Amino acid sequence: MKVSFKLNGEDVTVDVEPNEILLDTLRLKLGIKSVKRGCERAECGACTVLLNGSPVYSCTLLTVQIDGKEVRTLEGIQDTPEVKALVSKFVEAGAVQCGFCTPGFIVTAYAMIKKGVEPTSENIKKALEGNICRCTGYKKIIDAVTKAIESVK
Ligand code: FES
Ligand code: FES
């Protein structure tokens, strides 16, 4: 089946199987490596992408479901002031170790910032509750997101 959508601002059309998940289409057919294969069952957030601006797990979506929609991955937002601030504050705070979870956290935090959510500690925790990090502990990540938000105000 042919599916057409916007990926990081570009129109793409790709041949997919009816049961193909977006995670596989992005990684295996479109060369998007920031999207990670973690749990593959909607638990870890490593595969997070933005679908029409909202964070979603790409392991839970069939690619046929996104026909005509807009997908953004870290590659498509990496030059924004918000992502530059997030990356810088993650590094400063020691919120990156193996880095496997980091793209998912950054994409989710970016969406939260763009939606103008009030950056209280509770709101940041709630926004990031669908992302798991096995290495750093969550305090460093929350501190990094808080400082990134302050720096782009
Ligand atoms: S790989 Fe999709 S949520 Fe874990
Ligand atoms: S830095 Fe390793 S899982 Fe988060």
Side-chain angles (χ1 to χ4, degrees):
M1 305 175 69
K2 284 209 186 306
V3 174
S4 298
F5 60 99
K6 215 175 251 301
L7 175 61
N8 295 331
E10 304 283 330
D11 290 321
V12 295
T13 298
V14 63
D15 262 320
V16 301
E17 299 299 323
N19 63 347
E20 184 171 315
I21 56 173
L22 180 59
L23 170 64
D24 283 340
T25 306
L26 291 173
R27 283 191 65 85
L28 305 178
K29 295 185 174 166
L30 296 169
I32 299 289
K33 300 301 187 196
S34 71
V35 181
K36 305 297 184 196
R37 184 187 308 282
C39 65
E40 269 190 274
R41 53 183 188 195
E43 287 178 2
C44 75
C47 66
T48 302
V49 300
L50 299 176
L51 182 64
N52 292 350
S54 294
V56 294
Y57 296 148
S58 61
C59 69
T60 63
L61 281 172
L62 296 176
T63 307
V64 293
Q65 293 176 283
I66 59 145
D67 193 56
K69 297 188 176 162
E70 179 178 0
V71 175
R72 282 196 183 266
T73 66
L74 184 57
E75 286 83 351
I77 55 175
Q78 63 188 354
D79 292 328
T80 62
E82 293 85 0
V83 170
K84 285 184 176 169
L86 285 161
V87 170
S88 153
K89 298 303 177 190
F90 266 60
V91 171
E92 267 176 41
V96 181
Q97 283 185 28
C98 79
F100 190 81
C101 68
T102 310
F105 272 100
I106 301 269
V107 167
T108 304
Y110 170 84
M112 186 196 80
I113 296 171
K114 293 305 273 184
K115 286 194 170 155
V117 175
E118 194 192 345
T120 62
S121 162
E122 273 319 296
N123 285 345
I124 293 171
K125 282 184 199 163
K126 186 153 182 46
L128 299 178
E129 68 188 1
N131 293 74
I132 289 175
C133 176
R134 289 177 179 267
C135 302
T136 64
Y138 295 97
K139 184 174 182 315
K140 290 175 182 173
I141 291 174
I142 290 160
D143 287 350
V145 173
T146 305
K147 287 189 179 147
I149 292 169
E150 283 166 4
S151 79
V152 292
K153 265 186 192 165

